Amino acid sequence: MLVLANVRERWSSFLASFVAVLVGVALISTTLVIYDSAMPTVQPRLEGTAALVLPPQANDRTGSPEDRVPWNRAEADALVAKLRAVPGVDAAVVDRTFYAQAFQDGRPVTDEGAAEAGHGFSSTRLAPYNLVSGRAPGAADEVVVDRSLGVAAGQRLTVNLTAGRTEFTVVGTVDGPGYYFSDDSAAQRDPGARVIALVGGAGAAAGAIAEAARTAVGDQGSVVTGTGRSTIQAQYLDHKRFLGTQLIAAMATLGLFTTSFVVASMLVLATGLRRREIGLLRTIGASGRQVRRMVLGEAATVGVLGSLAGCLLGVAAAPLLRDILVNLDVAPSDLAVKVDAWPLLTATLIGVGVSVIGAWAASRLAAKVAPLEALLESRSGKRSMSRSRLISGLVVLGLGVVFAVMTATAAADNRVNMAIAATMVLIVAAALLAPVFVGPVGRAATSPFNRGGSAGPMLIRAEITASARRAASMAAPVIAAVGFAVLLSGMVETMRVAYPAGDALKLAGQVIITNDGTPGNTDEVVGANPVGKASLPTRAFVHKADGSTVVVDALGSRDPKWDRPGQAVLGESIATWLGVKTGDQYPVRFADGATVQLRIAEVLPDDPARGEFVMSRGLVRGHDPAALNDDIFVPEQTKPVAVPGTAVHDAVQYALDDYNTDARLTNSLAAMLIVIAVGYSGIAVANSMAMTAHGRRRDFAVMKSAGGTVRQLLAISVGETTLVVGIGAALGILVTLPPLAGMASGLSQVTKADVGLNLNFSMLAAVILGSLVLAIAASAAVTWKTLRRAEI
C-alpha cells in the first residue's frame, strides 16, 4: 500500500521513469511484432502438400546449419519409390527449381523470383496450380507459363535459362507463377534433389502421412509438415528477411540497452533527490530492507504501467515500421502485421525487469541513507563517487578498450556488431565514471566567469561540485545520445571512404559485365566474352578431418592457372579448417549429388580475388547446370559484348556506383537507428532535466527570498544545464573514438588502403544542439513554473 501511495502522491517524480519505460517498451514491442509477422510462411506453390521430405543439412564455417546435401538421381528415385507406397500418399514429386525468365521485346520480364522460377510440370500439383488452357509439356522445347504473362498456348516465347536465351513453344497456361517444363528437362537442368513433396489423397491426414514417411526415409533425411514446410523459401525472400531481421535485431538491441541505461540513470537520480524524504522514513523506524523494498516496488509499479502503455503504443506503431521496411526493400511487399501474445508479454517482462534491475542500484543507495539526512537538503551524498562505483567503472572501461581492440581484428561480418558492443560498454563506463569529471570540468568551465563578480557562475560551480552524482545522472542520456549518433554516422562515413578506395586499387584498368534485369549472367554471356575473369560459383559439400559434412563456397574458373580438370586450389585458411594439404585426394559432393575425387594441387595464401576453393569451370558446370555466373571482368583494351539482359560498365565507376547504392540503404538504416537512439535519449534528457529542476524547487525558493530575480534564477538553471550537456557530449564523443579507430584499422587491413577515422560533423552538431535545446527547454520550463508558483 505504501508503494501505491507513493506512486500516487509523487506521480510527477515518477513521470520521467514512466515515459522512459513506455518509449522503450513501445520500441521493443514494435520490433518484436514485426519480427513475428515476418516469420516465414508456407510458400503458396507448396500449400497443397501434406509433407515435405528434405535431405540432411550441412554446417557452414560458423557451425550453423545451412544448405541441404542433395540426393543424386539414384538416391532420389529410390526414396520416391518408398514414399509412393506410404498409405494416403497420392503423389511423391521431386520439386526442382532453376533459373527461368521470359524475354519480351528484347528485355527480361521483371521477376524477383526468376532465379527459382523454373520447375518440372509435376510441381504444379503442389499448390495446386491448374491448367487454364492447353496441355502439359512433353518435348524439350515446350513450356507451360503463368496466364498473367499474356502469352497464349501455341505462341513462341524466348525464355532465358542458365545456358542463355532459348526459344520455346507455349503449350499451356496455369493459374499460378512459374515456368513449367517436362519433368525430364527439369531433371537435366537441376539434377540434384533437395525436396520431395508428398501430396495426400482425399481424406488422408497429413500427420499420419508424415509419420509413415519418417519411417520410410529413416536417417536419409527429415520430414516436415504443417508450418514446418515454411523452411523451404525463395532465395530472394530469404535475403530480404535476413536484412530485415538484422535491422530489427539492431533496433531491439539498441532499444533494450538504451531503456536499461536511461531507466537506471533516472531511478538513481530520482532516489538521490529523495534522500531527505528517505531519511525521514528511517527516522520513524523504517529499516534499510523496508526502504529497499519500497524503491523496488515503486520501480515495479512504474514498470508495469509504462509497459502496458508502451505495448499499446507499439502495436499502433507496427504498421508504420512495416511500411518503412518495405520501402527500404528489406521486407516482403505483402508483409501483413499480426499481433500475437508473446511479443507483448516479452516486451512487458523486459520493461518490468529493466525497471526493477535498474532500481537495484538506487535501492542500495536508498537503504544506506542515515536518519540524520532528514534534516539535510536532498543531495546525492557526500562523496562524489563510491569505491564500488569507481572499481566497476574502471573494470567496464577496461572491457570496453578490449572490445575496441577486437573491433580492429574482427571478421568483416562481425566488425560493425563489435564496434556497437564496444561503444555500449564504453557508454556504461563513461556514465559510471562521470562524477570524476564533473567537478574538475565544472570548476574549469566556470573559472573564467568568476572574475566578473557575478554570483551565477559561483552558484553553478558550487552546485555541480556538490552534486556530482546528480549531474552525472543528468549527463548520462546525453552520453548515450551523442555516443550512438557519432558511432553510427561515423561508421557510415568511414565505410564510405574505405570500400571505394579498396575497389579502386583492385579494379583499375578493367570493365565489368553485369546482369541487368536478371539474377545473374548466363553461359551465353560468358561465351560472348571469352577473355577475362568469369567465375562460376557453386556450393560444394566436403568432409572435415573429424568426418562431419560441411558446405563451402567454391568457384569454377576458366583461368588457365586454376582450370585444371580433377584438381583444386585452396586458400590457407580453408585448408587448415578442413584439415587438408597439398597432394591429398579429397572427395567433393556437388549440387547434383555426385561425389568426385579431386587432388589438392596447391594451398596458397588467401586471396579473395582468386577464391578460397577453386576448381575447373567445366567440372562445376557439369555437376551444377543450374548455377549462374558472377560478373565478368574484362581488360579495358578488350571490347566487351553486351548480350541482352546485361550491361557494361567501367569497373571502378561501377564499384563506386554499386557502393553508393548500398550506402543509400546503409544510410537509411543508420538514420533509423540514430533517430531511435537520439530520440529516446532526447526524451530522457528532457525528463531528467525537468525532474532535477522540480527537485530543486526549495533551492530556488531560498535564492528567490535572498533577492534573486526570475531572470537570474533562469540563467543559473540554463547555465547549469548547458554545462551538464557539454560534459555529456564530450564524454559521448570520447567513448566512440576507440571503436571507430579500431574499425578504421580493420578496414585498412581488408581494403589495403589507408583508411582514417571519419566523423560526420553535421550529424554531431545537430545531435548536440538538439540535446541542448531539449534540456534547456525542459529545465527552463519547470524552473519558470516553480518560480511562478512561488510568486502566487
Side-chain angles (χ1 to χ4, degrees):
M1 293 299 293
L2 178 62
V3 169
L4 293 176
N6 278 346
V7 173
R8 185 171 58 252
E9 292 296 328
R10 298 179 57 87
W11 66 269
S12 59
S13 299
F14 293 109
L15 181 61
S17 300
F18 171 81
V19 172
V21 174
L22 183 153
V23 175
V25 170
L27 174 61
I28 294 170
S29 61
T30 300
T31 54
L32 290 180
V33 166
I34 294 299
Y35 173 81
D36 183 48
S37 302
M39 293 297 288
T41 57
V42 179
Q43 291 189 69
R45 70 179 196 85
L46 298 176
E47 286 182 347
T49 60
L52 301 177
V53 182
L54 308 173
Q57 281 182 289
N59 292 339
D60 62 11
R61 293 188 69 172
T62 66
S64 303
E66 286 293 336
D67 301 38
R68 296 191 176 274
V69 184
W71 294 302
N72 59 38
R73 187 88 180 247
E75 292 169 337
D77 288 346
L79 281 172
V80 167
K82 291 181 183 180
L83 293 168
R84 283 175 177 165
V86 169
V89 171
D90 188 47
V93 178
V94 177
D95 182 42
R96 306 183 189 276
T97 59
F98 48 90
Y99 170 57
Q101 186 175 18
F103 267 57
Q104 293 180 333
D105 300 323
R107 291 289 304 162
V109 174
T110 301
D111 182 1
E112 282 189 306
E116 298 173 298
H119 310 281
F121 186 76
S122 293
S123 292
T124 58
R125 300 189 63 179
L126 309 183
Y129 294 142
N130 301 307
L131 272 173
V132 177
S133 64
R135 58 172 176 83
D141 63 346
E142 294 179 344
V143 66
V144 170
V145 300
D146 182 1
R147 63 178 173 183
S148 66
L149 194 61
V151 182
Q155 292 184 324
R156 298 287 287 177
L157 178 67
T158 300
V159 180
N160 205 30
L161 302 170
T162 302
R165 291 168 296 162
T166 308
E167 290 291 319
F168 287 88
T169 299
V170 175
V171 295
T173 59
V174 292
D175 56 358
Y179 301 83
Y180 298 91
F181 304 83
S182 68
D183 289 337
D184 287 341
S185 296
Q188 293 172 9
R189 295 187 174 100
D190 183 28
R194 296 178 182 83
V195 179
I196 299 177
L198 304 181
V199 179
I209 290 176
E211 193 60 36
R214 291 188 183 98
T215 302
V217 173
D219 60 359
Q220 289 182 274
S222 59
V223 180
V224 294
T225 188
T227 56
R229 296 170 298 166
S230 63
T231 190
I232 302 300
Q233 290 291 312
Q235 290 180 2
Y236 79 97
L237 289 178
D238 263 348
H239 181 63
K240 285 188 176 184
R241 286 195 180 93
F242 172 77
L243 294 176
T245 301
Q246 293 289 96
L247 175 59
I248 289 171
M251 292 172 61
T253 302
L254 198 58
L256 178 59
F257 172 81
T258 311
T259 302
S260 305
F261 182 78
V262 168
V263 170
S265 300
M266 287 190 172
L267 289 171
V268 170
L269 175 61
T271 304
L273 293 172
R274 295 173 59 193
R275 293 181 71 86
R276 189 177 186 185
E277 173 194 334
I278 294 170
L280 182 60
L281 290 175
R282 295 298 307 278
T283 301
I284 61 177
S287 67
R289 178 177 298 179
Q290 288 175 316
V291 171
R292 186 183 295 112
R293 278 206 308 266
M294 178 192 72
V295 174
L296 292 175
E298 292 169 351
T301 303
V302 171
V304 169
L305 296 176
S307 297
L308 294 176
C311 284
L312 294 176
L313 180 59
V315 170
L320 175 61
L321 178 58
R322 185 268 320 274
D323 293 342
I324 292 173
L325 295 178
V326 170
N327 289 335
L328 290 174
D329 201 27
V330 295
S333 57
D334 59 350
L335 176 64
V337 175
K338 64 174 183 178
V339 181
D340 291 331
W342 78 263
L344 304 183
L345 289 175
T346 302
T348 300
L349 289 174
I350 290 174
V352 176
V354 163
S355 298
V356 173
I357 294 172
W360 178 77
S363 69
R364 289 182 69 249
L365 290 175
K368 294 178 181 179
V369 173
L372 182 63
E373 297 202 40
L375 303 177
L376 304 176
E377 287 297 320
S378 291
R379 295 295 185 205
S380 298
K382 297 178 181 179
R383 291 186 300 170
S384 64
M385 175 175 288
S386 65
R387 179 178 300 175
S388 60
R389 179 168 181 167
L390 177 61
I391 294 173
S392 299
L394 292 175
V395 170
V396 176
L397 177 62
L399 181 62
V401 172
V402 171
F403 278 15
V405 173
M406 291 173 62
T407 302
T409 58
D413 293 341
N414 297 324
R415 190 173 293 117
V416 171
N417 292 335
M418 186 60 70
I420 293 176
T423 301
M424 287 181 175
V425 174
L426 289 172
I427 285 175
V428 174
L432 289 172
L433 298 174
V436 173
F437 303 99
V438 166
V441 173
R443 287 190 292 271
T446 56
S447 59
F449 301 96
N450 289 334
R451 300 170 185 173
S454 173
M458 180 186 67
L459 291 173
I460 292 174
R461 175 177 181 171
E463 184 63 30
I464 290 288
T465 304
S467 304
R469 286 187 184 178
R470 178 182 62 78
S473 296
M474 293 164 59
V478 182
I479 297 173
V482 174
F484 280 121
V486 173
L487 173 74
L488 295 170
S489 62
M491 285 195 305
V492 172
E493 283 294 307
T494 302
M495 290 188 291
R496 183 184 64 80
V497 172
Y499 286 118
D503 289 336
L505 291 175
K506 298 174 185 175
L507 303 177
Q510 299 183 79
V511 295
I512 185 172
I513 302 171
T514 66
N515 51 296
D516 182 16
T518 64
N521 287 325
T522 65
D523 287 352
E524 178 187 6
V525 181
V526 175
N529 295 274
V531 178
K533 178 184 176 182
S535 299
L536 180 61
T538 189
R539 298 281 273 175
F541 302 88
V542 294
H543 294 288
K544 293 182 65 178
D546 60 7
S548 60
T549 301
V550 293
V551 61
V552 298
D553 288 310
L555 288 177
S557 175
R558 68 179 180 184
D559 189 323
K561 291 186 295 185
W562 322 124
D563 191 6
R564 309 171 186 174
Q567 298 182 7
V569 176
L570 274 62
E572 289 178 346
S573 61
I574 194 170
T576 301
W577 180 63
L578 295 175
V580 298
K581 60 184 182 301
T582 301
D584 285 353
Q585 291 292 325
Y586 195 55
V588 178
R589 189 179 181 102
F590 287 92
D592 62 351
T595 300
V596 178
Q597 291 284 339
L598 297 179
R599 188 176 74 85
I600 306 301
E602 292 181 83
V603 174
L604 301 174
D606 292 338
D607 180 5
R610 182 194 65 241
E612 62 180 7
F613 199 121
V614 187
M615 61 190 80
S616 167
R617 176 185 173 83
L619 179 66
V620 172
R621 175 54 77 208
H623 291 283
D624 192 357
L628 289 166
N629 298 275
D630 279 342
D631 296 336
I632 303 173
F633 293 88
V634 179
E636 60 183 358
Q637 63 268 23
T638 302
K639 185 177 181 180
V641 178
V643 174
T646 65
V648 178
H649 313 269
D650 174 78
V652 174
Q653 187 59 47
Y654 176 78
L656 295 175
D657 293 342
D658 188 52
Y659 177 77
N660 288 334
T661 300
D662 292 340
R664 282 193 290 272
L665 175 60
T666 304
N667 289 338
S668 299
L669 302 184
M672 286 184 62
L673 296 178
I674 290 172
V675 167
I676 291 170
V678 175
Y680 188 17
S681 299
I683 293 172
V685 168
N687 283 337
S688 62
M689 297 301 173
M691 185 167 57
T692 302
H694 180 73
R696 294 182 59 201
R697 57 192 182 279
R698 292 189 184 91
D699 294 346
F700 292 138
V702 171
M703 286 187 283
K704 193 170 189 300
S705 64
T709 65
V710 172
R711 179 178 295 179
Q712 288 173 325
L713 296 179
L714 281 175
I716 292 173
S717 176
V718 169
E720 183 183 346
T721 299
T722 302
L723 182 57
V724 170
V725 170
I727 294 171
L731 290 174
I733 295 172
L734 288 175
V735 298
T736 59
L737 296 182
L740 284 176
M743 187 171 187
S745 175
L747 290 172
S748 295
Q749 298 172 28
V750 171
T751 61
K752 309 300 182 186
D754 186 16
V755 180
L757 193 152
N758 292 271
L759 298 179
N760 188 328
F761 290 101
S762 60
M763 176 65 70
L764 174 60
V767 172
I768 294 176
L769 183 61
S771 298
L772 181 61
V773 170
L774 283 172
I776 290 176
S779 179
V782 174
T783 302
W784 173 264
K785 184 177 180 181
T786 300
L787 295 174
R788 292 291 294 173
R789 283 181 177 177
E791 291 179 354
I792 296 174

